[in-house]
């Protein structure tokens, strides 16, 4: 089936190129007609054997259930997704009055999203940092719908 698709595409491409090259000659109409007939012949030629034997659609891997993913692409996609979520989380915490830098580590494939860890760096000085850390940890866990033990909060007093 794949060979047939490639031969149809090849015949069409060659026909278009040859027709385009002979555009300003007297043979243009003959070449165009011949190219059309060759394309139709390549298109229709395997149909009797397909009807007789049945089409093998599996040769195109259309119905192959074993999907393989490129790990490099998944890492980039996961990184971009979690970067957007981290920026959104920073916005939520900014609305609560905290200046933060957030990093999220996890995996996102299809509808399955797993957050392995969240690191939140609080910027500024706080009168009671332990209460602030607990509040931020709870806010992050609620926002991301994860367990509080996966959230790490650090206070960075020197950066402003």
């Amino acid at each position: 089936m794949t060979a047939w698709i490639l031969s149809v595409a090849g015949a069409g491409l060659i026909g278009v190129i040859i027709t385009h090259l002979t555009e300003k000659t007297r043979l243009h109409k003959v070449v165009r007609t011949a190219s059309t007939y060759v394309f139709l012949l390549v298109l229709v030629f395997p149909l009797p054997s397909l009807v007789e034997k049945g089409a093998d659609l599996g040769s195109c891997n259309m119905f192959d259930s074993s999907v393989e993913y490129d790990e490099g692409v998944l890492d980039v996609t996961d990184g971009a997704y979690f970067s957007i979520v981290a920026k959104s989380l920073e916005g939520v915490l900014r609305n609560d009055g905290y200046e933060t830098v957030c990093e999220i580590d996890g995996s996102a494939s299809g509808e399955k999203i797993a957050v392995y860890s969240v690191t939140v760096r609080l910027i500024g000085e706080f009168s009671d940092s332990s209460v602030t850390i607990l509040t931020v940890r709870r806010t992050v866990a609620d926002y991301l719908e994860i367990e509080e033990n996966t959230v790490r909060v650090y206070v960075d007093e020197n950066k402003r």
Side-chain angles (χ1 to χ4, degrees):
M1 187 82 176
T2 304
W4 175 67
I5 292 172
L6 289 174
S7 65
V8 169
L13 184 63
I14 290 171
V16 167
I17 291 171
I18 292 175
T19 303
H20 185 66
L21 289 175
T22 61
E23 197 167 4
K24 299 195 183 209
T25 64
R26 289 187 287 168
L27 290 174
H28 177 66
K29 289 183 181 179
V30 173
V31 169
R32 187 177 65 195
T33 304
S35 295
T36 303
Y37 283 130
V38 167
F39 179 76
L40 288 174
L41 213 98
V42 169
L43 185 67
V44 176
F45 185 70
L47 286 181
S49 65
L50 285 176
V51 170
E52 215 171 84
K53 298 176 187 173
D56 180 21
L57 296 176
S59 68
C60 292
N61 295 328
M62 291 171 57
F63 301 108
D64 189 11
S65 63
S66 62
V67 178
E68 294 181 16
Y69 298 103
D70 184 3
E71 292 298 322
V73 172
L74 287 179
D75 289 342
V76 170
T77 306
D78 288 353
Y81 172 77
F82 287 118
S83 174
I84 292 169
V85 173
K87 292 296 179 196
S88 175
L89 179 60
E90 289 172 5
V92 168
L93 292 172
R94 189 177 309 111
N95 290 341
D96 287 349
Y98 303 108
E99 186 178 345
T100 62
V101 176
C102 300
E103 293 179 14
I104 302 174
D105 181 36
S107 142
S109 59
E111 293 180 11
K112 266 189 179 175
I113 298 173
V115 176
Y116 304 136
S117 68
V118 178
T119 304
V120 178
R121 214 167 24 100
L122 288 168
I123 300 171
E125 295 181 18
F126 305 97
S127 58
D128 192 0
S129 60
S130 60
V131 172
T132 304
I133 289 172
L134 290 173
T135 304
V136 169
R137 181 179 287 153
R138 189 173 306 116
T139 302
V140 170
D142 289 344
Y143 180 74
L144 296 176
E145 297 178 355
I146 58 173
E147 298 292 322
E148 285 186 35
N149 61 359
T150 58
V151 180
R152 293 177 299 201
V153 180
Y154 300 102
V155 176
D156 194 357
E157 297 174 357
N158 297 331
K159 297 207 175 186
R160 194 88 155 102

